[in-house]
Amino acid sequence: MQVWQKRGNATTILEAILARAEASEEELLAPCPAPPEAIDGIPAAADLIVRCALQGDMPVVIVGDYDADGVTATAILVKLLHHFGVSPRAIIPRRFTNGYGITHSLVEGISHSLLITVDNGIAAVEPIQAAKAAGNVVLILDHHLPQAEIPPADVIVDPHLHPERNGYEHYCGAGLAYKLAEYLCREESSQEKKDLFFDLLVLACLGTLADVMPLTGDNRRLVMSGLAVINRDSWYHQLSPGLKSVLDLSPRPYTEDTIKFQTAPILNATGRLFDAGSASVLKALITTEPAAAAGYAAKMKAINQRRKDLVAQWLAAVEEAAAGQEEAPILLVRCQGIPEGIVGIVAGKLSEAHQRPAFVFSDIASAPGLLRGSGRTYGDFDLSPLIPVVTPFAESAGGHAGAAGITVSEGQYGPMGQAITQWAQDNRPPAADDTLYYDLDVTEADLPAVLSVLKAHAPYGPGAEKPVLALRGLRLQTRGGQCYRLMGKGHEHLKLFGQVSDAVGFDLTAAYLDLGCPGTVDLLGVVEENQFLGKTSLQFQFHAIRPCVETTQPLLPEEPLLAQV
């Protein structure tokens, strides 16, 4: 049985916000910027670009990554170099052909050039050695954790390499690219770099939110500034056509949630379904032609919808394949035919649904006899100790605490699965904690004022989480003879009608019906603004529901009002 427990002793929404962020109000409202020269390696990286590309006319090749951070970081560097009259060659790895990171195949054929890696490179020791042997000058811009051996690049910018030398260390690839641009353009007037930096700031904001970086310090400043640009009409219209077309795929006003849950998936979808899809996303972000921008955006929108449909389709198939593993501490599923780019998403959704770690494997169309799998954890359980366990059976294996990737032959899949199962038995994940934590008790009448304070202290995310509210005694209102509406293709989502605010619970229809449809409820969730058909309304999004202790008689309408969304 779920237990609702208040954490902390906040009595106002502001106290709850500051407690979750463990910061002062000033730190949230006016985060301190970190000067680019305070990031170890940025001045040296700028000097290298000036010497090799701006003064030495050396060809420039940028190798990014296929996720939203990697693509936005690459776009920043391309736009920055164009600003100085340099036309670089930009390479985005093919997800299925090249895989993650800098590989020998990516650097093969590049010689006597300035090679810039961004959002990768810190672990690519041998490929960087090969690039150096071919006469290249190499600059690495990366934010991933360094390994025991460091690549022999000419300059490395990675704040995790020497954290003590950095004014701030939690940037993503796009954030680092932006700081490099700040340093390179530090002597230009505001007017000279205005249009360029509107684009770069928004790209850095997109990359930071898409990569789920801490919203503290300089990251917070970047995101707040980027959101300010795209929400102010006079600034928004100065953005490049490609960037505007991509942003136009999501509704305004833009918030951190809009970017994380609508824009970022659109940026990632094309690369998940097509080998070279992320290269097309880069073209969309950097194009200056309005017609081309509109064409790219339309394709990206259609592909993202296809991605959603595929995830739903394959999640149903994977759920069926997982039948019989109710007692397994880690779910292990093999399902033939899942597109490689969505295996990780499906594994994550399976993990969330069953509240335990999950691995999903599927065959590789381009490599008969091999299976590729993605693992996702649940809660605080660390998957990284599992990697050495599977390595003897796998063609390749890697990962971190929250996720893992494994490639294995069909012949070794069974033995590997047995090893995972045995390890899981010996290191069982802790039982799911039924305690649900919240930060503040509120009533429906409090919600408008609470939302006002929340908006004033946004954005929210890692390092500044939005407080969870316990909405007490929500008395449902009848509209057209109904007090609630079922939504979704399977009627799995629930909307409850309130007087001040409606409440929406995803996948909570069954829970409400099981309670007997009480007319007065308590909810756990967050308050937000809902944008629909150009109208803005207050909405409470909840993840837990129970009858209010002072509940009235159950409301049992003869026919629930059904709506497809």
Side-chain angles (χ1 to χ4, degrees), residues 418-443:
Q418 293 174 3
I420 290 177
T421 300
Q422 185 60 55
W423 180 86
Q425 294 291 348
D426 296 339
N427 302 271
R428 294 184 72 89
D433 185 0
D434 287 335
T435 303
L436 299 179
Y437 294 93
Y438 69 94
D439 302 287
L440 188 68
D441 290 285
V442 297
T443 66

Side-chain angles (χ1 to χ4, degrees), residues 526-544:
V526 295
V527 63
E528 58 191 13
E529 282 185 332
N530 180 45
Q531 306 288 333
F532 186 68
L533 297 178
K535 296 182 179 180
T536 302
S537 60
L538 199 66
Q539 179 172 281
F540 192 85
Q541 182 174 320
F542 64 96
H543 58 266

